[in-house]
């Protein structure tokens, strides 16, 4: 199992690292840049498509993991959950990309994100327990129960 984790991390890192220069060139070519203003930290134009590289790395590693490690041992329900998370992740990315390009208002953006999170919850995907023992000496485990 440790090998699967290391492979996933490396696949995600390498695919993201390879795609970044290509995405930067694409952003400059099509003028998809974020211009500095009083709300920004940067003083020069920056390509505003960094999320593309991140989602590309995530999708590549997730798909390859699904194909090579989990496709034979995963149930139909878990396959459906994988597709739901995959699709909703893409929609979250799309909201961020559209915000980068068109500077969307926060209220509609947050509303859409809330609706997407609600669809994930409706599909039965959630956190059943959360082990925070690495942060506490007494090895507490916090259990989260659905309402």
């Amino acid at each position: 199992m440790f090998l699967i984790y290391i492979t996933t991390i490396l696949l995600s890192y390498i695919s993201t690292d390879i795609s970044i220069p290509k995405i930067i060139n694409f952003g400059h070519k099509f003028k998809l840049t974020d211009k500095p203003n009083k709300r920004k930290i940067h003083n020069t134009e920056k390509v505003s498509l960094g999320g593309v590289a991140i989602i590309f790395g995530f999708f590549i590693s997730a798909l390859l993991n699904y194909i090579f490690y989990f496709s034979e041992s995963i149930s139909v329900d878990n396959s459906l959950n994988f597709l739901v998370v995959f699709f909703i992740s893409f929609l979250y990315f799309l909201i961020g990309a559209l915000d980068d390009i068109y500077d969307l208002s926060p209220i509609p953006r947050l509303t859409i994100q809330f609706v997407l999170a609600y669809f994930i919850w409706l599909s039965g995907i959630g956190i059943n327990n959360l082990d925070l023992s690495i942060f506490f000496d007494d090895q507490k485990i916090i259990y989260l129960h659905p309402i």
Side-chain angles (χ1 to χ4, degrees), residues 35-54:
K35 292 158 186 57
N37 62 33
K38 64 182 179 182
R39 291 182 43 218
K40 308 293 179 174
I41 296 172
H42 54 83
N43 296 326
T44 60
E45 284 190 15
K46 300 283 183 186
V47 173
S48 59
L49 296 175
V52 174
I54 294 169

Side-chain angles (χ1 to χ4, degrees), residues 2-131:
F2 182 72
L3 182 62
I4 293 172
Y5 294 144
I6 294 298
T7 305
T8 301
I9 291 168
L10 286 174
L11 278 171
S12 184
Y13 172 77
I14 291 168
S15 57
T16 302
D17 193 49
I18 290 170
S19 66
I20 287 173
K22 294 173 183 3
I23 291 167
I24 289 172
N25 289 337
F26 179 84
H28 284 302
K29 182 177 179 179
F30 291 99
K31 306 283 188 223
L32 298 171
T33 57
D34 190 24
K35 292 158 186 57
N37 62 33
K38 64 182 179 182
R39 291 182 43 218
K40 308 293 179 174
I41 296 172
H42 54 83
N43 296 326
T44 60
E45 284 190 15
K46 300 283 183 186
V47 173
S48 59
L49 296 175
V52 174
I54 294 169
I55 200 75
F56 179 72
F58 168 73
F59 281 166
I60 291 293
S61 62
L63 278 174
L64 291 177
N65 268 314
Y66 182 77
I67 291 167
F68 291 115
Y69 295 118
F70 302 116
S71 61
E72 293 176 8
S73 64
I74 201 165
S75 68
V76 173
D77 288 342
N78 287 337
S79 290
L80 183 60
N81 286 346
F82 176 81
L83 291 174
V84 167
V85 169
F86 202 78
F87 182 69
I88 298 291
S89 297
F90 177 74
L91 292 177
Y92 266 97
F93 155 74
L94 201 58
I95 292 167
L98 290 173
D99 181 46
D100 285 344
I101 295 168
Y102 298 112
D103 199 22
L104 301 176
S105 173
I107 300 299
R109 191 175 66 228
L110 184 61
T111 302
I112 293 168
Q113 290 171 337
F114 178 78
V115 169
L116 291 175
Y118 181 68
F119 280 125
I120 289 176
W121 180 77
L122 278 179
S123 70
I125 299 170
I127 299 172
N128 295 329
N129 61 41
L130 184 61
D131 183 359

